[in-house]
Amino acid sequence: MEKQEQLTVHDLIADQDLCASDVHLIFDLAGRVKASPASYAQALAGKQLAMIFEKPSLRTRVTFEVGMTSMGGFAVYLDHSKPRLGERESIKDVARNLDRWVNGIVARTFSHSSVVELAENASIPVVNALTDLLHPCQALGDYFTLTEKFGRVKGLKLAFIGDGNNVCHSLMLTGARLGATVRVATPSGFEPKTEMVEQAKALARTTGAKIHVLRDPLEAVAGVHAVYTDVWASMGQEYAAHLRTQVFAPYQVTESLMQAAGPDAVFLHCLPAHRGQEVIDAVIDSSRSLVYDQAENRLHVQKALLLLLMQSH
């Protein structure tokens, strides 16, 4: 990594914090890390990362932990499912203690404000590894995957079908920043948050992108390059799973919906997938599906992010 390669941000808390040059820098370094992982085998030697997780995880935990280890560093997993962050001791004290011991913090929390408070009280970099509001690392991995497939993000059209959740917010914000058109199709009452839509539209006006919130999945997928969906009941919403299954049934990604998107459209999902609910096997297991490329690229993109954020800490 070249010394002049630096992000304009100290932390990654929200998608909208990254400018386009930041995202392209992460993608460029991720591509080099992916092509030659041995070249970065000692890039974070002697560095430690604290991983605070309130929610269960496969991809996020493994990719951050393996990412640190494969670059010569070390990751400490802190299970905060019980008690949650801030219940046993204040978030401020957690941040100020970790600040003395490790070189960075990755936090996966229910409340977005918890990650914000960590960053406000730590001098070391803090990375949002998912909150109820945003999932910026996922969006970076997704758009890096689309860049690999199509050679660009600007001008691409992506349809998000389903719940207007944290993943949807991050796809809108980072897509708008990079010049992609994002169409969201949700049932009434499950739209993305208004402030996230407005922020994405404001970014889109500067890049030529378009952000649309629709009802009809067929209208959303017409002519898109990628169809994206997520689970109908996210972590913490299991109590409403039965209701959501009924409401979201018309939003299932089927072969006919993929055909409506066009012959070259790819399928994306952040995983875990509930097969037979938001997507059927014939789609997620098809040659159009890039879900495992997305999962792999979380590793490469997050390694690049850690390198850029932790190089001076």
Side-chain angles (χ1 to χ4, degrees):
M1 189 172 66
E2 303 295 332
K3 289 185 177 178
Q4 65 270 24
E5 292 183 316
Q6 292 186 343
L7 299 174
T8 61
V9 294
H10 179 271
D11 311 290
L12 176 55
I13 304 301
D15 304 77
Q16 51 271 56
D17 295 341
L18 296 174
C19 64
S21 61
D22 287 329
V23 178
H24 290 304
L25 176 57
I26 294 168
F27 286 2
D28 181 66
L29 182 55
R32 283 180 276 148
V33 168
K34 183 174 183 177
S36 181
S39 300
Y40 299 88
Q42 294 301 313
L44 291 183
K47 303 287 188 182
Q48 289 84 33
L49 177 71
M51 300 171 51
I52 299 172
F53 277 51
E54 291 182 341
K55 296 184 176 185
S57 170
L58 174 66
R59 279 151 295 280
T60 301
R61 176 177 178 178
V62 172
T63 51
F64 271 115
E65 199 162 324
V66 169
M68 280 299 291
T69 304
S70 64
M71 293 190 291
F74 185 77
V76 180
Y77 181 76
L78 301 172
D79 181 358
H80 273 273
S81 56
K82 293 181 181 179
R84 291 185 184 175
L85 189 62
E87 290 182 353
R88 181 174 176 270
E89 63 181 307
S90 71
I91 294 176
K92 176 189 291 186
D93 284 346
V94 171
R96 292 185 175 179
N97 277 268
L98 292 174
D99 204 52
R100 303 296 181 100
W101 303 325
V102 301
N103 306 98
I105 299 172
V106 163
R108 182 177 176 89
T109 63
F110 283 91
S111 171
H112 188 75
S113 63
S114 296
V115 178
V116 173
E117 189 172 351
L118 277 172
E120 288 175 345
N121 289 281
S123 65
I124 55 177
V126 175
V127 175
N128 176 352
L130 181 143
T131 68
D132 281 357
L133 185 65
L134 295 169
H135 198 356
C137 293
Q138 181 67 52
L140 288 172
D142 297 336
Y143 283 112
F144 178 77
T145 303
L146 290 175
T147 302
E148 285 186 326
K149 176 67 178 179
F150 295 101
R152 71 191 198 287
V153 173
K154 189 173 181 61
L156 293 184
K157 296 176 182 176
L158 181 147
F160 182 92
I161 309 299
D163 189 16
N165 59 11
N166 46 5
V167 173
C168 175
H169 294 158
S170 287
L171 288 171
M172 288 193 307
L173 291 161
T174 297
R177 175 73 85 190
L178 297 178
T181 289
V182 180
R183 299 182 195 144
V184 178
T186 72
S188 178
F190 296 91
E191 300 87 354
K193 289 184 179 296
T194 301
E195 60 267 33
M196 294 293 104
V197 175
E198 292 305 314
Q199 289 184 35
K201 286 184 175 180
L203 289 172
R205 285 192 286 271
T206 69
T207 64
K210 300 291 183 183
I211 303 295
H212 304 280
V213 179
L214 308 167
R215 287 278 174 268
D216 185 358
L218 284 172
E219 181 183 0
V221 304
V224 298
H225 299 86
V227 177
Y228 199 120
T229 192
D230 192 3
V231 295
W232 292 340
S234 298
M235 287 175 283
Q237 298 173 333
E238 291 82 359
Y239 64 92
H242 178 68
L243 170 64
R244 284 172 169 262
T245 298
Q246 296 175 311
V247 171
F248 282 96
Y251 292 81
Q252 184 182 63
V253 178
T254 61
E255 289 174 292
S256 60
L257 191 67
M258 290 300 298
Q259 288 171 0
D264 299 323
V266 299
F267 174 73
L268 302 175
H269 193 304
C270 53
L271 302 178
H274 290 175
R275 292 165 176 259
Q277 289 194 11
E278 74 270 8
V279 62
I280 63 172
D281 287 349
V283 171
I284 194 171
D285 293 330
S286 73
S287 59
R288 291 176 156 204
S289 175
L290 299 183
V291 298
Y292 303 117
D293 294 318
Q294 289 175 263
E296 178 189 340
N297 284 334
R298 290 285 304 277
L299 173 66
H300 309 304
V301 164
Q302 289 165 192
K303 286 174 72 173
L305 181 62
L306 291 173
L307 281 167
L308 291 164
L309 290 177
M310 297 176 70
Q311 59 181 343
S312 59
H313 294 275

